[in-house]
């Protein structure tokens, strides 16, 4: 302590001030304003010079580094993107005053609280979240202050940390606050490490001391949480936001409760594995279900689509409402086109409004707002006489703002300057005073001439002149010969040899006006702009609500567009636990395949004879694809989307679980058998009769008999206890003897042997495969012939030695093979042959020639496929 004091006593008052500021924002890089620069010192200077490649200098051995204040934004954004927090310390006193300039931290910018467009992650949400533990409860609360969204959830029960982590995966927050001691710290740290690439963690010792006021300040009575701990958590988050952003945050005015019981629960593993909104490759959007379905035209719509996919619904009525709306826009494509066109004119309302709220909106934001507001009546026009309840409700909830749009139209210049302080943002004709000053500034010459003419007329002095010089300013010059004609109102100012110079009250006023005009213009423009901004503020809650409805409309139109472009059908919903899909396609793979056509497949799952499907088939046959397709289509239906299938009947599921055998799951970087077993344990614990389970080659990460035993026991447990609909792919042919007539069925993926070649038919059929065809795959992959020949010999030897049979527990491969020939001659598809049915159904007389061509083409494709199978 003494040491420190001594150090401070030795340093300059300014550095004392610096240290005081630094203490206030210890975990941030401090941008300390010095004249036209922001300076960083010591450790901060080292960080900044390294991260931003700036020169590190030194003042009396202290490392220093600086950036010009007008270029700071760019540097700040870079630091934020790299996960730093930046505290901005400004000079706030009068810089000309005696002594040390007063300084203060005016805001702290952090990855979870940036509002600057260029620092935000595209149009997607940028969340900050907070975790608070109170007894048996974990509370998660969070916000996206760039859009004004605010939410909380409460997690109880033994798997509370797990479920909370799943929620964090959906949020992909940029910043996480942990309040006080947390019993799940390690588990959480491990999760963040594995799954959330960039997340700054801030630890706060205590919850807010001002709970009730904070809550009341932001949320209406109906939104307010009731629990003590929930309130504490939310108030603590709000405190943090206020202390960081340090501006008005009244746009955080609506709090939603995350109610897991209303949604299809998808855990992190499944979300990742099915690549719903983030791909496995780099966490981006490319190659995700989101990217296939994203035909949205607004930023709000894009964010909402991600939400709908991450939180599919459970309630059949609600899903049906969305499907009705999608159907209406699928059929009525001229209406859809009209909506789409108008939505293109709607900017990111939510972020626009936030900038208005915090005072960072510029004139261009106002123009964007105007354009968006003008689009609203046309959007509503396009919704006229919609038939479905969902679209009618959207129409009702989209308000129009003619008055506000007109105000912006009258006030804001159509081509405004970028910076408010440079002016040129208010239109001529909006304000009389401003017009006067502008006229003054631009027409000063002609005004002077006009005044000169007037004075000539008034006095009758023909040689009268109005002039200007730097020392005396404006004057009226009269020849000495005319002095007697000068009116009394003229005040003499200067006498020259032949002339006298005067000033008049009018000219004096003109002078002060014209000299101050430019400055005045800026002042008035700024004042008027602020007034307009205040006016816009009044509309924020209402426009926020409109924005939400625009977003929903955008998603519905997007689903309809995807349905039409990719030939999707409307799923029929049922409540009897059945999932029947006819000619289903994998939405992603069918888009990626360029050379081959995707081969559609049927799925039949229920809680009776088709509860557990064991799927065997050679490597690369399409097992994983088929199972994921079933999960994806179920999820899509529950999100309200149409499906890539010929026909589908979906009974909503409460949870979807997918697990992939450890050795197959390379991407997650945790390919250990232990993790795999953890995951399986989790499923067996939490799956219900209404869940959908996808198990893909589990048990692979250990020795054959171990793995096989575990796989068998898991199936038995699901069959006897869990009773969930389950797809189970395995290369253990021995498991196919689990098939019974009550719950478990065998399926395999058809292959065709042609000499030594194997053709993958990609067609799922009843029965079981008996070979893994690994050697054929090895041949395809180009392994040297002597190696594959030798492998074939070894295989024959192994098969003859009948290892599995000697072990006694399992049915041997040869036996299975005899029972189930690889390809049964009459391969039944789940729904029987359809080509002739399809032809019979055609209504040839009402077809257009183009439709006829398309139909013929499709039938031909189908015929070819069916021929290929035989
Ligand atoms: P498995 O899990 O049986 O080893 P995958 O499901 O990984 O096989 O499929 C291997 C590849 O086969 C996929 O990457 C895909 O390109 C292709 N494929 C799978 N199913 C189909 C299908 N129904 N139609 C066309 N190609 C398919
Ligand atoms: Mg596979």
């Amino acid at each position: 302590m003494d040491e420190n004091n001594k150090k401070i006593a030795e340093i300059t008052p300014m550095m004392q001030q610096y240290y005081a500021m630094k203490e206030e924002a210890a975990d941030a890089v401090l941008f300390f304003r010095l004249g036209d620069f922001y300076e960083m010192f010591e450790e901060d200077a080292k960080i900044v010079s390294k991260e931003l490649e700036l020169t590190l200098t030194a003042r009396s051995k202290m490392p220093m580094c600086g950036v010009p204040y007008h270029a700071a934004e760019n540097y700040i954004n870079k630091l934020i993107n790299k996960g730093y927090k930046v505290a901005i310390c400004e000079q706030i006193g009068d810089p000309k005053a005696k002594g040390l300039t007063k300084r203060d931290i005016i805001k702290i910018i952090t990855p979870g609280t940036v509002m600057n467009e260029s620092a935000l992650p595209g149009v997607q949400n940028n969340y900050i979240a907070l975790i608070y533990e109170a007894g048996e409860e974990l509370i998660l609360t969070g916000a996206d202050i760039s859009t004004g969204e605010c939410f909380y959830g409460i997690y109880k029960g033994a798997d509370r940390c797990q479920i909370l982590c799943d929620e964090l995966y959906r949020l992909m927050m940029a910043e996480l606050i942990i309040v006080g001691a947390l019993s799940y710290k390690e588990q959480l740290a491990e999760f963040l490490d594995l799954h959330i690439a960039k997340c700054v963690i801030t630890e706060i010792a205590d919850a807010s001391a001002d709970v009730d006021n904070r809550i009341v300040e932001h949320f209406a009575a109906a939104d307010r949480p009731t629990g003590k701990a929930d309130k504490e958590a939310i108030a603590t988050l709000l405190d943090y936001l206020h202390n960081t952003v340090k501006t008005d945050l009244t746009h955080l005015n609506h709090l939603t409760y995350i109610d897991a019981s209303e949604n299809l629960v998808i855990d992190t593993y499944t979300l990742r594995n099915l690549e719903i909104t983030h791909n496995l490759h780099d966490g981006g959007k490319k190659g995700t279900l989101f990217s296939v379905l994203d035909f949205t035209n607004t930023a709000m719509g894009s964010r909402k689509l991600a939400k709908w996919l991450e939180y599919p619904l459970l309630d059949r009525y609600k899903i049906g409402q969305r499907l009705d709306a999608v159907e209406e826009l699928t059929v009525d494509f001229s209406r859809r086109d009209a909506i789409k066109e108008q939505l293109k004119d709607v900017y990111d309302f939510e972020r626009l409004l936030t900038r208005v709220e915090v005072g960072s909106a510029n004139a261009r934001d106002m123009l964007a707002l105007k354009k968006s507001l003008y689009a609203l009546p046309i959007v509503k026009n396009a919704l006229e006489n919609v038939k479905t309840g969902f679209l009618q409700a959207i129409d009702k909830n989209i308000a129009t703002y003619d008055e506000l749009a007109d105000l912006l139209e009258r006030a804001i210049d159509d081509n405004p300057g970028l910076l408010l302080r440079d002016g040129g943002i208010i239109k001529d004709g909006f304000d009389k005073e401003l017009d006067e000053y502008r006229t003054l500034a631009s027409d000063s010459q002609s005004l002077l001439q006009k005044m000169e003419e007037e004075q000539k007329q008034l006095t009758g002095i023909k040689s009268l002149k109005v002039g200007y010089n730097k020392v005396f300013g404006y004057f009226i010059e009269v020849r000495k010969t005319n002095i007697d004609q000068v009116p009394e109102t003229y005040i003499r100012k200067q006498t020259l040899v032949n002339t006298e110079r005067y000033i008049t009250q009018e000219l004096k006023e003109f002078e002060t006006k014209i000299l101050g005009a430019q400055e005045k213009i800026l002042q008035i423009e700024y004042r008027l702009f602020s007034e307009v901004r205040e006016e816009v503020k009044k509309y924020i809650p209402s426009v926020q609500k409109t924005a939400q409805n625009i977003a929903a409309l955008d998603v519905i139109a997007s689903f309809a567009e995807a349905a039409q472009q990719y030939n999707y059908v409307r799923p029929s919903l049922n409540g009897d636990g059945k999932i029947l899909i006819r000619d289903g396609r994998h939405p992603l793979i069918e888009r990626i395949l360029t050379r081959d056509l995707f081969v559609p497949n049927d799925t039949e799952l229920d809680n009776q004879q088709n509860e557990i499907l064991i799927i065997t088939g050679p490597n690369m046959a399409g097992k994983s694809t088929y199972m994921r397709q079933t999960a994806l289509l179920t999820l899509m239906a529950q999100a309200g989307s149409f499906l890539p299938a010929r026909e589908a009947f979906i009974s909503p599921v409460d949870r979807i679980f997918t697990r992939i055998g450890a050795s197959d799951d390379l991407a997650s970087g945790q390919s250990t058998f232990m993790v795999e077993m953890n995951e399986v344990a989790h499923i067996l614990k939490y799956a219900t009769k209404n869940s959908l389970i996808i198990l893909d080659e589990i048990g692979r990460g250990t020795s054959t008999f171990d793995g096989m035993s575990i796989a068998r026991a898991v199936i038995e447990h699901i069959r006897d206890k869990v009773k969930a609909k389950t797809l189970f792919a395995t290369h253990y042919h021995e498991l196919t003897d689990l098939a019974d007539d009550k719950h478990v069925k065998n399926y395999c993926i058809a292959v065709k042997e042609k000499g030594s070649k194997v053709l993958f038919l990609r067609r799922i059929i009843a029965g079981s495969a008996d070979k893994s065809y690994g050697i054929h795959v090895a041949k395809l992959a180009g392994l040297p012939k002597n190696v594959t020949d030798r492998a074939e010999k070894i295989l024959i030897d192994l098969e003859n030695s009948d290892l599995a049979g000697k072990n006694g527990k399992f049915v041997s491969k040869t036996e299975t093979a005899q029972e189930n020939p690889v390809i049964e001659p009459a391969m039944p598809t789940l729904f029987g042959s359809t080509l002739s049915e399809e032809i019979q159904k055609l209504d040839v007389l009402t077809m257009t020639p183009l439709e006829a061509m398309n139909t013929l083409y499709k039938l031909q494709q189908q015929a070819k496929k069916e021929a290929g199978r035989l």
Side-chain angles (χ1 to χ4, degrees), residues 17 21 30-35 37-38 69 87-93 101-107:
Q17 194 184 36
M21 296 285 115
L30 184 64
F31 273 47
F32 190 74
R33 180 71 177 266
L34 271 179
F37 278 79
Y38 288 115
Y69 87 95
I88 308 291
C89 171
E90 290 289 356
Q91 302 169 175
I92 53 163
T101 315
K102 243 188 114 191
R103 288 187 176 78
D104 221 339
I105 294 179
I106 57 149
K107 63 179 164 187

Side-chain angles (χ1 to χ4, degrees), residues 269 272-273 280 618-620 623-625 627-628 659-673 676 695-702 729-731:
Y269 192 98
R272 262 173 59 81
N273 189 241
L280 285 170
N619 230 337
M620 286 300 284
K623 300 183 295 298
S624 303
T625 307
M627 296 196 302
R628 274 175 220 211
R659 289 302 177 273
I660 295 190
S663 62
D664 250 15
D665 181 23
L666 299 172
S668 79
Q670 44 167 318
S671 330
T672 70
F673 184 63
E676 179 188 330
L695 293 172
D696 196 347
E697 312 234 14
I698 61 149
R700 246 180 119 151
T702 181
T730 180
H731 62 292

